[in-house]
Amino acid sequence: MARRSPLRHALQLALLAGCSALHAQQSPPQEKPKTALPPVTVSGTSSEPVEKSYRKMVQGMDYFERARAAVAPGASLRFKLLPRKPGTDMDHIVLEVIGTTFDYRVPIAPDHTFVLERNAKALQENAVVSPNRRRLSMTWRTEIRTPGLPANTRRLGDLRLECMVGLEADLVSNNGPIGRIADLFTDKKRYCERAEARYLYFADRPLFSVTLVNGARREVLPIDQLYAMASDDPGLKSDLPYCDCEVLVDRTYFLPLGDRSWPDDTRVEFEYMDDRP
Amino acid sequence: MNPVPVHRVPFIAALAACLCMAGCAGVDMFGPPPDGRGAVRTPDGRPLPPQAAMDTIAIGKSSKADVLSALGQAIAIPFDSGYEVWVYRWPGADKTPRTASELVVLFDPSGTASKLRLRPGYAPRD
């Protein structure tokens, strides 16, 4: 039987979960010494910031506003920063919106989430949203949550919208060659409607189990939907540098986003490794 | 968007082919590892049903060596935290992950089983 090769696995992860290592691989020769440096986090302004397009992120916010009534009517949108490399200092990040004639700081909550305010000048000047961290040291996601849910649960509609807004805001492509190919070959939002979509989610803590619950129907996700498919890839360790899940593998999971037999109100229940039995 | 530099085109073409393959990767790609890991075997080589396999493990007591001895080699997923997940699988009718039964054991950093769960296989999708 044919097996999924580590390379293809890496490419899947790369496209669908925000790999940007290939972008680094494709960097001009003069940038190579920088990418060869050890993966340490630098406090203060970095010469290789992990930055995102303000316009793209606002595009994601616009998409959220258009779609939420149907998918997640009670939810709110935040963006989230996550570590990508070991030792990344996540507690002292300075996040700024930087245009050509201005810059201003964006407050980050203790859980590393933030809200992006709408700013006409930032749009006009095609500003960037820039944390003071080295490229590849962090990754980004959306955080869309309906308030009032029981502990250790999420709502499937919120998570479906996270995929769509995340792709619309370009949080997972890093604008490398992979992202451009994705633009050519896929409709990003339709991708989130695929039953086998491989959009990587990160739970709050290391996972032991994820269960979908809708009324009396309960289904536990198979192990290949957890841990970035590690169960099917003994070579995952060597693939990890290509994945933005590198230091969060034990928190990752996929969802059957396009399986409409699970309505948006489906509860996603998490059992964590450190939960008491 | 800037045009793609010419020297990147062969790379991108190869990547595009890979991505198409990746996009086509369906559930038929799934199967037990070819080396037999994850298929439960008792010391005398007998298969065990899921519940019987689960009953051989005691939370807070069984070590990795105990489980290896009782059930054979698992699909092991180690984490940097020191925790490790072991998985045993019983393929379902259509050999997809959805229909497979799974026994999942969590070992804490000391190597002792700290959690255990049995996932039943579900009916194939239409």
Side-chain angles (χ1 to χ4, degrees):
Chain A
M1 181 181 293
R3 301 280 308 158
R4 191 179 1 247
S5 75
L7 174 61
R8 187 160 62 185
H9 182 195
L11 287 169
Q12 283 180 294
L13 292 172
L15 171 64
L16 309 170
C19 166
S20 59
L22 281 167
H23 178 67
Q25 184 182 329
Q26 290 294 299
S27 298
Q30 65 270 23
E31 288 186 19
K32 279 183 180 172
K34 290 179 184 173
T35 58
L37 287 173
V40 294
T41 299
V42 177
S43 295
T45 304
S46 165
S47 59
E48 286 191 326
V50 185
E51 60 187 32
K52 296 292 176 189
S53 159
Y54 179 86
R55 282 181 183 167
K56 282 279 191 181
M57 291 184 73
V58 170
Q59 252 177 257
M61 291 157 57
D62 291 342
Y63 186 87
F64 172 76
E65 293 301 333
R66 288 195 305 273
R68 75 167 166 179
V71 185
S76 58
L77 165 67
R78 300 180 69 84
F79 295 99
K80 185 163 193 171
L81 297 168
L82 296 141
R84 178 167 176 168
K85 290 292 179 189
T88 303
D89 175 7
M90 297 298 293
D91 291 330
H92 305 92
I93 298 167
V94 176
L95 184 65
E96 292 177 300
V97 175
I98 304 172
T100 50
T101 64
F102 73 93
D103 59 72
Y104 60 86
R105 200 161 163 172
V106 179
I108 301 176
D111 64 356
H112 311 132
T113 63
F114 64 92
V115 172
L116 204 56
E117 301 295 336
R118 292 177 184 273
N119 183 301
K121 199 168 184 184
L123 281 175
Q124 188 184 5
E125 295 189 9
N126 196 16
V128 294
V129 184
S130 179
N132 61 336
R133 289 295 180 273
R134 186 180 297 279
R135 183 185 292 171
L136 301 181
S137 66
M138 291 195 312
T139 191
W140 308 56
R141 288 292 187 277
T142 51
E143 174 126 318
I144 295 173
R145 286 187 186 257
T146 296
L149 297 179
N152 299 340
T153 66
R154 299 290 307 272
R155 184 177 168 278
L156 183 59
D158 296 358
L159 293 160
R160 282 180 168 137
L161 198 49
E162 279 192 10
C163 177
M164 291 184 276
V165 174
L167 293 183
E168 186 69 22
D170 220 5
L171 295 185
V172 297
S173 74
N174 273 346
N175 296 323
I178 285 176
R180 289 197 285 273
I181 287 172
D183 287 340
L184 290 173
F185 286 91
T186 66
D187 176 331
K188 291 175 180 176
K189 290 186 289 291
R190 274 189 63 193
Y191 181 79
C192 298
E193 293 165 4
R194 288 175 51 173
E196 301 294 331
R198 292 285 182 258
Y199 183 88
L200 266 183
Y201 292 96
F202 299 107
D204 295 334
R205 307 203 307 275
L207 285 166
F208 183 58
S209 179
V210 178
T211 305
L212 302 182
V213 182
N214 180 42
R217 183 185 178 200
R218 294 180 67 88
E219 286 191 13
V220 180
L221 293 184
I223 200 75
D224 76 328
Q225 302 297 290
L226 273 56
Y227 314 135
M229 303 177 79
S231 59
D232 287 345
D233 186 1
L236 180 75
K237 198 87 177 172
S238 58
D239 291 342
L240 280 180
Y242 298 91
C243 179
D244 71 349
C245 63
E246 185 174 357
V247 297
L248 300 171
V249 175
D250 53 6
R251 290 167 50 177
T252 64
Y253 61 102
F254 298 121
L255 288 169
L257 297 177
D259 180 352
R260 283 291 161 184
S261 70
W262 294 106
D264 288 333
D265 281 331
T266 296
R267 213 166 58 232
V268 183
E269 294 185 348
F270 302 103
E271 181 182 355
Y272 297 108
M273 288 186 184
D274 60 2
D275 283 344
R276 294 199 176 276
Chain B
M1 182 183 295
N2 294 329
V4 177
V6 172
H7 73 275
R8 294 185 181 178
V9 169
F11 171 83
I12 290 173
L15 184 59
C18 289
L19 289 170
C20 289
M21 290 166 66
C24 298
V27 290
D28 60 331
M29 300 299 292
F30 174 81
D35 57 8
R37 289 175 304 116
V40 164
R41 288 287 180 274
T42 61
D44 58 2
R46 286 180 300 113
L48 275 181
Q51 187 62 53
M54 189 171 177
D55 292 343
T56 66
I57 303 171
I59 291 180
K61 291 183 180 174
S62 297
S63 67
K64 290 178 188 174
D66 295 334
V67 177
L68 177 65
S69 169
L71 302 179
Q73 195 174 6
I75 298 166
I77 309 170
F79 300 106
D80 292 342
S81 61
Y83 281 87
E84 191 162 317
V85 165
W86 283 19
V87 184
Y88 295 95
R89 276 181 180 144
W90 290 260
D94 64 359
K95 311 288 186 195
T96 63
R98 177 181 170 75
T99 63
S101 299
E102 295 172 343
L103 171 61
V104 182
V105 189
L106 176 68
F107 291 98
D108 64 22
S110 76
T112 305
S114 60
K115 278 181 178 283
L116 196 57
R117 65 180 173 86
L118 197 55
R119 174 193 181 271
Y122 299 104
R125 287 197 188 96
D126 295 334

